[in-house]
Structure formats: C-alpha cells, structure tokens
Amino acid sequence: MSDRLVWLPFDPAELGDPPDGLRYEVVDPTQEVPDSVEDVRFYVPPYQMGPAIGDVLPRMRSLEVVQLLSAGVDNVRSRVPEGVALCNGRGIHDTSTAELTLALVLASLRGIPDFVRAQDRHEWTPGWRPALADRRVLLVGYGAIGEAIEARLLPFEVDVVRVARTAREGVHPIEDLPTLLPEADVVVLVVPLTDATRGLVDAGFLGRMKDGALLVNVARGGVVVTDDLVAALHAGRVRAALDVADTEPLPADSPLWDAPGLLVSPHVGGASSAMWPRAHRLVRDQLHRYAAGEPLHNLMTGEY
C-alpha cells in the first residue's frame, strides 16, 4: 500500500477515476483530527471560508501539497510551511461567482429587493429604474473570475473596462483607478485580498465614483473599508451589493444591515450546483499530476 496519504473532504469516488498508488481518507479536521495527521502528504481542506481549515497544518509533518477549493488563499497562505506547495481553486468558482455577480448587478439596478419588500406588503409599486444596457462596468481584478464575469456582461450591451495589478494589452493597471472611477456606472471588485488591496475601497475611492454608481464586491470583505462605505451609502453617493464582509457571518449589529441602497448576500459566490463538478475535476487532475510527479496547476507558493 502506498504511504502517500491524501485527505479529502468528500468521497474519492466523486472524483470518477482517482489515481492508483495513493491512499485516501475522508476527513474534516475542523471536526475531528485522526491519528494519521502526521502522514498526510496531500491535503484538500473542506470548503470553508474561515481560518480553521489551517489549524491542523502544524501537525502535518509529511505535508507536500495543500489544494484549496477556494480561489482566495488569504486564510491559510501565511500558515503553510515553507517548501509546501499551496494551490488555489482557480477555475472552480468562475461560473458560480460570475452568475451571482450578474444577479447582484441586475437586482440592484432594477430594484428587485424593493419589489420583494413591496410584495410582502401586498403593494404594487411601478416605476423607472436604470438598465444595465449602455452602462460602463469597471472590473477591478481581471483574472479567471473577471473574465467569466465579462463574458456574461457583454451580451447586456455594456462597455467593460478591465483593471488588474499590472497593465497588459486591453487591461489597465490598478494605478489608473483614480481616472477610471469617475466614468464607471458599475464597479465590480474581484481582486484577491493582499496587503496591496486591503482597504483599497476607502473614502477616497468612493469619493471618485460617479454619483449613484453601483459598487459590487465579490472579492473579500477586507478590500472595502466598511465605515467609509456606510457613510457613502447614507450620503446617497453610491449604491452597493456585497457578497462578502470584513466580519463573517455579518454581526447582527453591523451598520451594513440598515444602510440604504445596499443589497447583501451571505458569501455565496461559489455556493451553487456548478461548484462541485468543477471542484472534483480540478482535484482529480491535480492528484493525477501529483501521483505522476508532474507540475501542479494553480501553484501559489512553494514547489513540488
């Protein structure tokens, strides 16, 4: 029997054809840590947003690879031992997150939350609302998810402006934001949470946005300074739709709950039926590469 142990958060049968020569255990270490923890070579944590998935890492003395099911790695990156490969879930959540982004944009612009509240009151409330068509949408973060969002935006007859950390053909550098924000009707945040992006959306950023523009955050809550956003919402300067918050779950006393012009969803960008087939495909491919000694995809840090 192989001594290369793999911890999975799901039945290996879900992978279809997992590679031979590896030993598999289904483990959620946030619930229970088996004695085999010191033998784990390849760790696929449960799909959770909190840091608890990394609590077990110091006990994994044989660890070689951590394969996350999330696109973001900020919860565990600093805790992965030197020399251990950390791979993110790039490709797993593109479809789901892009769908939710479009839902948040359309619901916010066309006033769907107001219609639902009016329905609860048995009130008929017709009125004019802005369309998505003919708007300029600024994508702040143009990786795989940004590309998936753009592909779904374009049929709505919009002008998409792309922004990324560094400039490339057709993509503005993030330093261009001060000149791009005043022209955007919708600003979508898809950036990873790093030292450079933490607090990116502050009073200055919001102050440069067009009056009445819509801010959509499907990145991480720490990208936005909550107090500054709340102030801008109460001033009627902007509207917003957030799938993430700087504290999750969002506390009952958070000022975001009652801020005007705000739609909140509970960090469900990747939580759809489209996630698991893509997660299983990625993990299966990575395990085959690992078993064959081939380079891994989505490598964020470390080497294998």
PDB file of all heavy atoms in Angstrom, residues 75-88:
ATOM      1  N   ASN A  75      -6.713  32.951   3.873  1.00  0.00           N
ATOM      2  CA  ASN A  75      -6.952  32.316   5.174  1.00  0.00           C
ATOM      3  C   ASN A  75      -5.823  31.394   5.615  1.00  0.00           C
ATOM      4  O   ASN A  75      -5.676  31.133   6.812  1.00  0.00           O
ATOM      5  CB  ASN A  75      -8.260  31.508   5.131  1.00  0.00           C
ATOM      6  CG  ASN A  75      -9.482  32.391   5.258  1.00  0.00           C
ATOM      7  OD1 ASN A  75      -9.444  33.402   5.936  1.00  0.00           O
ATOM      8  ND2 ASN A  75     -10.552  32.023   4.582  1.00  0.00           N
ATOM      9  N   VAL A  76      -5.050  30.873   4.670  1.00  0.00           N
ATOM     10  CA  VAL A  76      -4.044  29.863   5.038  1.00  0.00           C
ATOM     11  C   VAL A  76      -2.646  30.167   4.531  1.00  0.00           C
ATOM     12  O   VAL A  76      -1.693  29.524   4.964  1.00  0.00           O
ATOM     13  CB  VAL A  76      -4.460  28.461   4.536  1.00  0.00           C
ATOM     14  CG1 VAL A  76      -5.751  28.018   5.159  1.00  0.00           C
ATOM     15  CG2 VAL A  76      -4.553  28.432   3.022  1.00  0.00           C
ATOM     16  N   ARG A  77      -2.497  31.098   3.627  1.00  0.00           N
ATOM     17  CA  ARG A  77      -1.200  31.277   2.969  1.00  0.00           C
ATOM     18  C   ARG A  77      -0.056  31.455   3.962  1.00  0.00           C
ATOM     19  O   ARG A  77       1.003  30.835   3.827  1.00  0.00           O
ATOM     20  CB  ARG A  77      -1.252  32.481   2.024  1.00  0.00           C
ATOM     21  CG  ARG A  77       0.020  32.666   1.219  1.00  0.00           C
ATOM     22  CD  ARG A  77      -0.167  33.649   0.090  1.00  0.00           C
ATOM     23  NE  ARG A  77       0.924  33.588  -0.860  1.00  0.00           N
ATOM     24  CZ  ARG A  77       0.859  34.042  -2.101  1.00  0.00           C
ATOM     25  NH1 ARG A  77      -0.256  34.587  -2.546  1.00  0.00           N
ATOM     26  NH2 ARG A  77       1.886  33.942  -2.904  1.00  0.00           N
ATOM     27  N   SER A  78      -0.238  32.272   4.969  1.00  0.00           N
ATOM     28  CA  SER A  78       0.840  32.547   5.915  1.00  0.00           C
ATOM     29  C   SER A  78       1.125  31.361   6.836  1.00  0.00           C
ATOM     30  O   SER A  78       2.140  31.354   7.534  1.00  0.00           O
ATOM     31  CB  SER A  78       0.502  33.779   6.756  1.00  0.00           C
ATOM     32  OG  SER A  78      -0.638  33.536   7.564  1.00  0.00           O
ATOM     33  N   ARG A  79       0.249  30.360   6.822  1.00  0.00           N
ATOM     34  CA  ARG A  79       0.385  29.235   7.741  1.00  0.00           C
ATOM     35  C   ARG A  79       0.914  27.976   7.050  1.00  0.00           C
ATOM     36  O   ARG A  79       1.146  26.962   7.707  1.00  0.00           O
ATOM     37  CB  ARG A  79      -0.970  28.940   8.388  1.00  0.00           C
ATOM     38  CG  ARG A  79      -1.565  30.182   9.047  1.00  0.00           C
ATOM     39  CD  ARG A  79      -2.971  29.961   9.515  1.00  0.00           C
ATOM     40  NE  ARG A  79      -3.014  29.102  10.691  1.00  0.00           N
ATOM     41  CZ  ARG A  79      -4.147  28.723  11.266  1.00  0.00           C
ATOM     42  NH1 ARG A  79      -5.317  29.122  10.780  1.00  0.00           N
ATOM     43  NH2 ARG A  79      -4.128  27.944  12.318  1.00  0.00           N
ATOM     44  N   VAL A  80       1.057  28.027   5.751  1.00  0.00           N
ATOM     45  CA  VAL A  80       1.567  26.871   5.022  1.00  0.00           C
ATOM     46  C   VAL A  80       3.084  26.806   5.209  1.00  0.00           C
ATOM     47  O   VAL A  80       3.792  27.779   4.942  1.00  0.00           O
ATOM     48  CB  VAL A  80       1.218  26.964   3.523  1.00  0.00           C
ATOM     49  CG1 VAL A  80       1.882  25.844   2.732  1.00  0.00           C
ATOM     50  CG2 VAL A  80      -0.289  26.922   3.338  1.00  0.00           C
ATOM     51  N   PRO A  81       3.624  25.677   5.663  1.00  0.00           N
ATOM     52  CA  PRO A  81       5.068  25.581   5.928  1.00  0.00           C
ATOM     53  C   PRO A  81       5.893  25.817   4.676  1.00  0.00           C
ATOM     54  O   PRO A  81       5.453  25.547   3.551  1.00  0.00           O
ATOM     55  CB  PRO A  81       5.233  24.139   6.433  1.00  0.00           C
ATOM     56  CG  PRO A  81       3.880  23.747   6.937  1.00  0.00           C
ATOM     57  CD  PRO A  81       2.896  24.459   6.064  1.00  0.00           C
ATOM     58  N   GLU A  82       7.078  26.333   4.876  1.00  0.00           N
ATOM     59  CA  GLU A  82       7.997  26.576   3.770  1.00  0.00           C
ATOM     60  C   GLU A  82       8.271  25.273   3.027  1.00  0.00           C
ATOM     61  O   GLU A  82       8.470  24.219   3.634  1.00  0.00           O
ATOM     62  CB  GLU A  82       9.306  27.163   4.294  1.00  0.00           C
ATOM     63  CG  GLU A  82      10.277  27.570   3.196  1.00  0.00           C
ATOM     64  CD  GLU A  82      11.517  28.233   3.752  1.00  0.00           C
ATOM     65  OE1 GLU A  82      11.570  28.444   4.989  1.00  0.00           O
ATOM     66  OE2 GLU A  82      12.438  28.526   2.959  1.00  0.00           O
ATOM     67  N   GLY A  83       8.255  25.368   1.704  1.00  0.00           N
ATOM     68  CA  GLY A  83       8.517  24.198   0.879  1.00  0.00           C
ATOM     69  C   GLY A  83       7.291  23.394   0.519  1.00  0.00           C
ATOM     70  O   GLY A  83       7.355  22.498  -0.323  1.00  0.00           O
ATOM     71  N   VAL A  84       6.151  23.696   1.153  1.00  0.00           N
ATOM     72  CA  VAL A  84       4.905  23.004   0.846  1.00  0.00           C
ATOM     73  C   VAL A  84       4.174  23.768  -0.264  1.00  0.00           C
ATOM     74  O   VAL A  84       4.043  24.988  -0.204  1.00  0.00           O
ATOM     75  CB  VAL A  84       4.006  22.892   2.089  1.00  0.00           C
ATOM     76  CG1 VAL A  84       2.633  22.335   1.725  1.00  0.00           C
ATOM     77  CG2 VAL A  84       4.672  22.016   3.129  1.00  0.00           C
ATOM     78  N   ALA A  85       3.724  23.029  -1.280  1.00  0.00           N
ATOM     79  CA  ALA A  85       3.015  23.658  -2.389  1.00  0.00           C
ATOM     80  C   ALA A  85       1.606  24.035  -1.963  1.00  0.00           C
ATOM     81  O   ALA A  85       0.879  23.211  -1.402  1.00  0.00           O
ATOM     82  CB  ALA A  85       2.963  22.713  -3.583  1.00  0.00           C
ATOM     83  N   LEU A  86       1.238  25.287  -2.203  1.00  0.00           N
ATOM     84  CA  LEU A  86      -0.120  25.768  -1.961  1.00  0.00           C
ATOM     85  C   LEU A  86      -0.764  26.074  -3.303  1.00  0.00           C
ATOM     86  O   LEU A  86      -0.251  26.900  -4.064  1.00  0.00           O
ATOM     87  CB  LEU A  86      -0.107  27.017  -1.086  1.00  0.00           C
ATOM     88  CG  LEU A  86      -1.456  27.730  -0.898  1.00  0.00           C
ATOM     89  CD1 LEU A  86      -2.463  26.823  -0.197  1.00  0.00           C
ATOM     90  CD2 LEU A  86      -1.284  29.044  -0.130  1.00  0.00           C
ATOM     91  N   CYS A  87      -1.885  25.407  -3.605  1.00  0.00           N
ATOM     92  CA  CYS A  87      -2.589  25.613  -4.870  1.00  0.00           C
ATOM     93  C   CYS A  87      -4.002  26.102  -4.576  1.00  0.00           C
ATOM     94  O   CYS A  87      -4.669  25.593  -3.670  1.00  0.00           O
ATOM     95  CB  CYS A  87      -2.658  24.304  -5.665  1.00  0.00           C
ATOM     96  SG  CYS A  87      -1.054  23.563  -6.020  1.00  0.00           S
ATOM     97  N   ASN A  88      -4.450  27.074  -5.343  1.00  0.00           N
ATOM     98  CA  ASN A  88      -5.799  27.580  -5.115  1.00  0.00           C
ATOM     99  C   ASN A  88      -6.802  26.890  -6.031  1.00  0.00           C
ATOM    100  O   ASN A  88      -6.444  26.043  -6.852  1.00  0.00           O
ATOM    101  CB  ASN A  88      -5.846  29.107  -5.266  1.00  0.00           C
ATOM    102  CG  ASN A  88      -5.810  29.561  -6.712  1.00  0.00           C
ATOM    103  OD1 ASN A  88      -5.515  28.807  -7.632  1.00  0.00           O
ATOM    104  ND2 ASN A  88      -6.101  30.831  -6.936  1.00  0.00           N
TER     105      ASN A  88
END
